[in-house]
Amino acid sequence: MVAIPDYENTDYTASGEAKCDYMVSGEVEYGEPTFSYMWSIFGNELTIKVDGMNYSTTAYPTSILLTLTNTADSGDVVTIEITDVSSSSVTGSTEEASLDATYSISAEFTWDETYVSNPSYTTDGGTAVTSSEENLISGEFYYSSDIFNSFDFPHVYEGFDPEAGGSVGVWYNENTSVSSGWGQEEESDEDTDTNAYFEATPIEANDGALYSYDIVISSPCGSITATPRLSPGSANTEYIYGTLDLYEDGTFTMEVEYQYISTDMMNASVYYVPGVVCNGVYTTNSDGTLNLSYDHENASETDYDIVTELTGKAAEVVAASADSEAEVEENTDAEVMPETDTTAEAETETETWDGAEAEENADAEADAETDGENPDEG
């Protein structure tokens, strides 16, 4: 607590602070935390995510112990201890899970009993599945890697049609502010969807590839935020472009183009999307569709050069857009010209009519004056 004088009072200054230490204790409302998982075949890593822990107004747990039990082998038990709990969402990973197994999840939450009178709570966390062939993900498991700050690839996509193209995955991103992720927060659900959607359009197969595609990455919120390394801020772009090649040996490569966005003249920072490449493997379903698994562990940047002009697909799209706008403007000007002529004709007709009417009125007034001067001649 600090005492502060009136704004116009110059005789006194603010007092020193008065403070005291205090402790609050009581029961925690356990709530209903949710559980999801992500499995990667490239590192044989199973990640469990605990979400929805709305304890911030009371106290976060000091630790969460996840116990995973193989449903087909009760002797196969794996534990994951999470000790850094400082938000409503935390993750824990293990490389000890068996392949092609289903694990039931039990979660034990522990609080500091100095402050919490009911410091222990255990709940069922559902199941998690592993595979020897492909990545797996439950629901919209939000994730991020260190490839390039606010940029990442999808983790897995099932049912891709290699002939028709279409969606090749989603990078689920739970960040909703421009400074920390994709897009920015608005009012509607569509405007707040900051996930990144990857769409593939078939093109002629590149050398060595079975299928090739142009890739466009966009977000329903309308903007994608790039936060370059060593830069103090961020900048937005509407689309990111790349390519995808599928090979006969069951592998694929997705490459994202370097894309210049803007330069902040105040601090000379260049904002851009990096050149990034990600490999992966795919499996074929009975209906001919493919399940794509992305290798995040080996994804890397490919273009470190800072280019301050638009290049590649982004430049082509902007140029095509400019030509299209110029054509529309030209057609619009051509349509407006007849309307201008018609308007001019209408104005001329109006002026002619107004002039005739004025002449008739003048004659009428003259006759009236003449009648008034010679009343006996009526």
Side-chain angles (χ1 to χ4, degrees), residues 133-135 156-169 210-213 244-252 281-294:
E133 296 184 338
E134 59 187 13
N135 292 345
V156 61
Y157 186 77
E158 298 180 347
F160 173 65
D161 186 336
E163 297 288 345
S167 176
V168 285
L210 183 61
Y211 296 99
S212 295
Y213 312 84
L244 171 66
D245 292 313
L246 300 180
Y247 304 102
E248 287 190 75
D249 63 357
T251 64
F252 67 83
V281 299
Y282 66 84
T283 56
T284 305
N285 300 314
S286 59
D287 61 358
T289 60
L290 311 178
N291 295 341
L292 308 178
S293 298
Y294 292 79

Side-chain angles (χ1 to χ4, degrees), residues 37 46 70-72 76 97-103 128-132 136:
Y37 70 89
L46 178 62
N70 191 326
T71 58
D76 181 9
S98 302
L99 298 178
D100 300 313
T102 299
Y103 288 89
V129 182
T130 65
S131 170
S132 57
L136 299 173

Side-chain angles (χ1 to χ4, degrees), residues 31-248:
E32 298 180 0
T34 60
F35 299 82
S36 55
Y37 70 89
M38 184 171 71
W39 165 256
S40 171
I41 60 170
F42 302 101
N44 287 342
E45 184 176 63
L46 178 62
T47 301
I48 307 295
K49 186 161 198 169
V50 186
D51 246 326
M53 297 183 295
N54 299 316
Y55 304 130
S56 58
T57 55
T58 53
Y60 286 118
T62 53
S63 67
I64 302 173
L65 180 63
L66 302 174
T67 301
L68 283 59
T69 305
N70 191 326
T71 58
D73 179 7
S74 59
D76 181 9
V77 178
V78 178
T79 59
I80 304 172
E81 186 173 12
I82 303 172
T83 56
D84 182 16
V85 185
S86 57
S87 72
S88 61
S89 178
V90 295
T91 59
S93 301
T94 180
E95 296 179 3
E96 297 179 4
S98 302
L99 298 178
D100 300 313
T102 299
Y103 288 89
S104 62
I105 305 171
S106 175
E108 181 180 354
F109 297 74
T110 302
W111 283 264
D112 187 335
E113 59 184 10
T114 304
Y115 309 104
V116 178
S117 57
N118 54 339
S120 182
Y121 169 61
T122 301
T123 186
D124 175 26
T127 59
V129 182
T130 65
S131 170
S132 57
E133 296 184 338
E134 59 187 13
N135 292 345
L136 299 173
I137 189 171
S138 67
E140 296 183 358
F141 182 106
Y142 292 96
Y143 59 93
S144 179
S145 76
D146 295 327
I147 296 175
F148 186 81
N149 291 345
S150 296
F151 185 83
D152 216 331
F153 290 90
H155 177 73
V156 61
Y157 186 77
E158 298 180 347
F160 173 65
D161 186 336
E163 297 288 345
S167 176
V168 285
V170 182
W171 170 42
Y172 295 109
N173 174 33
E174 62 188 340
N175 294 320
T176 55
S177 65
V178 172
S179 61
S180 59
W182 294 65
Q184 72 183 53
E185 191 170 5
E186 298 291 346
E187 294 182 358
S188 69
D189 290 340
E190 182 174 298
D191 289 337
T192 58
D193 183 353
T194 58
N195 300 323
Y197 294 80
F198 290 61
E199 293 290 326
T201 301
I203 58 175
E204 183 178 350
N206 295 318
D207 291 343
L210 183 61
Y211 296 99
S212 295
Y213 312 84
D214 278 336
I215 297 296
V216 176
I217 307 164
S218 62
S219 179
C221 70
S223 64
I224 300 172
T225 302
T227 311
R229 190 186 313 244
L230 302 180
S231 293
S234 61
N236 297 333
T237 183
E238 192 171 356
Y239 299 104
I240 292 175
Y241 304 94
T243 58
L244 171 66
D245 292 313
L246 300 180
Y247 304 102
E248 287 190 75

Side-chain angles (χ1 to χ4, degrees), residues 322-334:
D323 292 341
S324 178
E325 289 178 3
E327 184 178 347
V328 169
E329 185 175 347
E330 183 178 343
N331 292 337
T332 302
D333 290 342

Side-chain angles (χ1 to χ4, degrees), residues 335-352:
E335 292 173 0
V336 168
M337 289 303 292
E339 294 179 4
T340 303
D341 294 343
T342 303
T343 302
E345 290 175 6
E347 289 176 351
T348 301
E349 290 176 1
T350 301
E351 290 173 359
T352 302

